[in-house]
Amino acid sequence: MESERRYVARTTIAKDALLFFDAQRGVLTCRVQDVTNSGAGIELHGLNILPLNFELSFDNFHTVRECRVIWRQGDFVGVTFLN
């Protein structure tokens, strides 16, 4: 069994969100699986290329969180919020 390394427990939310990282790619959908005030676990739905930094919105871009990828395992990424 893998030990938990997080300092803060995450809340499971399984909510669709929008991400943006390149004007040519446009806005893409993803699914946020869990979240804290400092980061999130995201499912990318087959998105092969994701830069180190990108923006994420839970509310159709009324608010935007700047993100940095901390780890990636296939379609799942862990990010930290920069703002």
Side-chain angles (χ1 to χ4, degrees):
M1 181 187 327
E2 186 174 321
S3 65
E4 179 63 52
R5 298 181 309 186
R6 299 176 185 145
Y7 294 108
V8 178
R10 292 183 179 231
T11 302
T12 301
I13 62 170
K15 179 179 179 163
D16 288 334
L18 301 172
L19 64 86
F20 180 85
F21 59 86
D22 181 356
Q24 293 177 347
R25 298 270 313 191
V27 176
L28 304 166
T29 60
C30 64
R31 184 131 180 112
V32 178
Q33 298 293 347
D34 54 56
V35 68
T36 68
N37 287 336
S38 61
I42 300 171
E43 182 179 2
L44 297 175
H45 304 301
L47 179 63
N48 294 325
I49 298 173
L50 183 69
L52 185 60
N53 295 312
F54 63 93
E55 296 177 327
L56 180 70
S57 178
F58 298 97
D59 58 5
N60 204 25
F61 288 106
H62 293 292
T63 58
V64 174
R65 300 297 304 257
E66 294 178 42
C67 300
R68 176 180 296 266
V69 175
I70 300 300
W71 59 265
R72 181 168 186 170
Q73 189 172 37
D75 259 7
F76 296 96
V77 296
V79 302
T80 188
F81 298 135
L82 301 176
N83 61 346

